[in-house]
Structure formats: structure tokens, C-alpha cells
Amino acid sequence: MEAKGFRKAGHSPSLFSAFLYFDISFMIWVLCGALALFITKDFGLTDTQKATMVAIPILGGSVFRIPMGILADRIGSKKAGLIGMSLTLIPLFWGWLGGTSLLEVQMIGFLLGFAGASFAVSLSLASRWYPPQYQGLAMGIAGAGNSGTALATFFGPQIAQTYGWHNVFGIALIPLVIVMIVFAILAKDAPNAPAPKPLKDYFSVFKHPDTWWFSVFYAITFGGFVGFANYASIFFYDVYGDGVRSDGITKIQVGYLVTITVIAGSFFRPIGGWIADKIGGMRLLVILYSVVSLCAFAIASMPSSFLVMLIYTSVMMACLGMGNGSVFQIIPQRFSKEIGVITGIVGAAGGLGGYILPTYILGPLKQSTGSQMTGFLVVGSIVLVTTFIFYVVTRSWRKSWAKAESGVNF
């Protein structure tokens, strides 16, 4: 009965289009991370350079998410989405036909941020079609496009080993063009979309402290998800690879392990949104942050078995994925009229968190200490502190706008 009500409440073709657009875009956005073991071999990079290389696309996504969110509010999510996919063609062609120097790879990675910016468009497209009681589920389904990471990590290394990593970018052009056509046919902007406002009005959301708090909390959940998803192949091969252990795993097997971890995060995102609709996103996030912190500390123990490590990382990614869905169960209730730009801002903060994680924590600490352990001890401590901060901030939200009278379970 509830599923029937959900279907009738919105526009399924647009929700499917939002998911599909985000899914293929996410696959393209994380290609540098999925192909990291092949790209870094060509250029002989240090630990810090490796981490930076896989993080640059995340930084690009952060930069482009805010303008794409504003664009979605001004001209509609459908047109903004088609523009975003058209711009994504540029780095794919460049990666396919060029990318012969580290600088070129870094520039290609930054332009892959156009794909990462799809988040601000796809989620605003989905959100506007559904009433408050279904926001968690709708945003979770659209956001499950995170699963595109699994496509990149599963197929990318196999194609790269057979045809070379440059051709992976060329082959990725095919599904992107197909999705562009499907999106153009099926997607439809919601009739309740607000009228375009002067550009300066969109930036007024920066005046609200809640904008900054949501950005911090999403920097932990999404930043943790995408940052580790991009760094995971380097991490697993560095600890369990056949280059450091006689019985170690191959680069292809690393791709399988990373795929399992990102599937966990992607699959549980809509579940997180659905549970948040039921018990409240605030209550759920406190639990999830606590578990993520424990998982980070468990990873820092560096178990000798990669299967045990796979369990730790998968549980952590599942909780981060659910956390992503939970954050976006709350946001539309607070900023319903500015959902495009606020999604862009908060999404940019999430991407920034994903850039900082490998570039300034995991990579440098591995290079300076010779072990991955220290990085995850730092990560666990950061998330633990965030858990307490989140609890305190949400107490004030319950006294101001997140009240029971709204009819929404916060």
C-alpha cells in the first residue's frame, strides 16, 4: 500500500531519469580512482601524488556543483542535466585520445567534475516531484546513482588490462550518449518548481547557519564515501596486493573488492532514506556516525586477512551510504524552495570532504608513517567528534524548525 502511494505521489519516469543520470555520471566521475593502479604505473607516482590524482575529480565536482545547482533552479533540472552530460563528453574524449602526461591526467580529472556535478541536478529533479513524507525515499533512490562507482571499479580494471586505460574513457562515451537520449525523452520538470530568482538571491542561503551545518555533516558521509571509493584500490593493493605479499591479490581482484564495498554504500543509500522517513533522519544519523567511527578504528587495526578488512570497509561504506540518504531526508524540509542551490552547496561540501580525505589525510599520512593505520585513526577520531557535534546541533533544530507539528519525522 505504501509503495503504491509512493508511485502515485510523484513521477516515476523522472525519478528513474534522475537515478540513471546520476548513475552514469558517477561512474565517469570516479574513473581515475577505478583506473588508479594502471594510471599511476605509467607515471611512477609517490603515495601523496597517487592520492591527489584520484582526488582531483572530486574537487572538480565540488567546484561545479554549486553553479549546476543554480542552473537547475533557473532553467529547470532537465535542461541543466542535458548541459551537464554534454560537458562531460569533453574529458572523456580527452582521456581517450590524450592524457599522455600527469598534468593532462590532472586536467582531465578536474573536468570529470562536470559528471560529479550531476548530483545537484538529479536530486533536485527527484525532490520536487515528491511530498515531504517521501523525501527520504525519493532522494535515496536518485542518490543510489552512487552505484555507478561499482560499474567503474568492476569493469574499468578489466577493460584497462585488455585494451589500455585510455580506451576505458572512449568506451564510457557509449553509455553516456545512451543515457542522454533516455533522459531527454523521459525526464520532466515538476510543475511546482519555483520561478527563477535574481542570482544574488540564490546565495542568500549562505546566511543561514544550517547551510553550513548540513555541509559539515554531508562532508563526513558523502565525503567519506566518495573519498574512500576513489582511494580504495590504492589502499587494498598497498596493504594486500601481490606487489607486497607473495600471496597477495592482483589488480583485477582489487577491483572486485572495491566494487563490493561501493555496492554496499550505494545499495544502502535509499534504505537509509527510507528508514529516516520512518524513525527520523536525526536519530538515524547519530547511530550511523557512531558505527562509522568504530569501523574506522577497526580498519586501523590492519587485520592480516583481506576478507576481514572487506567486512570492515563494507560496513563503513554501507553506513556512509545510509548517512547520505538520511542527510537528504532532512534538507528538503528545511530548504524546500532552494533545493537546487542548497543541493549544489551541500553536495560541493561533500565533494570537498572527499577531496580532503585522500589528499590531506590518507595519502600524506601513509607517506610519512609508512602505514595506512594512522590515517584511519585520524578519520575515526574526526567522525567521533562530529557525532557529538551533530547531537548538540540537532537539539537546537528541534526547538526551531524541525518540530513534530510539521508532520515529518525528523
Side-chain angles (χ1 to χ4, degrees), residues 132-388:
Q133 65 268 30
Y134 293 123
Q135 282 294 312
L137 182 56
M139 298 287 264
I141 291 174
N146 290 345
S147 58
T149 310
L151 298 176
T153 56
F154 185 82
F155 293 107
Q158 298 182 60
I159 298 173
Q161 182 154 297
T162 305
Y163 301 104
W165 64 265
H166 290 282
N167 285 318
V168 178
F169 287 88
I171 293 172
L173 288 163
I174 299 172
L176 176 61
V177 171
I178 293 173
V179 170
M180 286 180 69
I181 295 171
V182 173
F183 188 86
I185 295 172
L186 295 183
K188 182 179 178 183
D189 287 315
N192 63 346
K197 299 185 294 186
L199 194 59
K200 62 181 180 63
D201 290 354
Y202 289 105
F203 292 99
S204 64
V205 295
F206 281 109
K207 298 178 183 178
H208 299 290
D210 293 344
T211 300
W212 298 98
W213 283 124
F214 280 127
S215 296
V216 169
F217 301 140
Y218 199 63
I220 297 296
T221 59
F222 184 76
F225 174 84
V226 73
F228 185 71
N230 274 275
Y231 187 75
S233 60
I234 296 172
F235 169 75
F236 274 110
Y237 194 72
D238 182 64
V239 179
Y240 302 104
D242 54 14
V244 295
R245 294 169 54 160
S246 58
D247 60 343
I249 53 181
T250 66
K251 294 177 181 178
I252 299 298
Q253 290 172 324
V254 165
Y256 297 152
L257 296 182
V258 178
T259 300
I260 293 172
T261 62
V262 297
I263 284 178
S266 304
F267 176 77
F268 278 94
R269 178 162 185 156
I271 293 177
W274 178 75
I275 295 175
D277 283 337
K278 296 296 182 183
I279 71 172
M282 296 179 189
R283 184 180 294 112
L284 179 59
L285 272 167
V286 170
I287 298 171
L288 294 174
Y289 280 138
S290 301
V291 177
V292 169
S293 180
L294 291 174
C295 286
F297 289 131
I299 292 170
S301 70
M302 293 294 147
S304 58
S305 169
F306 71 84
L307 291 177
V308 174
M309 180 64 82
L310 181 62
I311 293 173
Y312 291 159
T313 56
S314 296
V315 173
M316 181 182 73
M317 291 290 269
C319 290
L320 290 171
M322 293 176 71
N324 293 333
S326 301
V327 171
F328 271 91
Q329 183 262 353
I330 305 170
I331 288 177
Q333 324 302 337
R334 177 65 178 85
F335 294 104
S336 59
K337 294 182 179 179
E338 306 91 356
I339 191 62
V341 67
I342 200 68
T343 299
I345 293 169
V346 175
L352 185 60
Y355 172 74
I356 291 173
L357 178 62
T359 308
Y360 293 103
I361 300 177
L362 299 181
L365 287 176
K366 164 59 172 65
Q367 185 165 318
S368 62
T369 66
S371 171
Q372 298 283 1
M373 178 181 69
T374 309
F376 284 93
L377 287 174
V378 171
V379 170
S381 300
I382 291 172
V383 179
L384 183 61
V385 172
T386 303
T387 306
F388 290 111

Side-chain angles (χ1 to χ4, degrees), residues 73-75 193-198 202:
D73 278 342
R74 288 185 65 84
I75 68 173
K197 299 185 294 186
Y202 289 105

Side-chain angles (χ1 to χ4, degrees), residues 382-402:
I382 291 172
V383 179
L384 183 61
V385 172
T386 303
T387 306
F388 290 111
I389 294 174
F390 179 79
Y391 180 80
V392 172
V393 171
T394 54
R395 296 308 94 189
S396 66
W397 286 353
R398 293 186 186 279
K399 296 176 183 178
S400 54
W401 55 269

Side-chain angles (χ1 to χ4, degrees), residues 53-76:
M53 189 270 291
V54 300
I56 284 177
I58 309 176
L59 178 63
S62 296
V63 171
F64 297 131
R65 279 182 172 188
I66 295 177
M68 287 299 290
I70 294 173
L71 194 65
D73 278 342
R74 288 185 65 84
I75 68 173

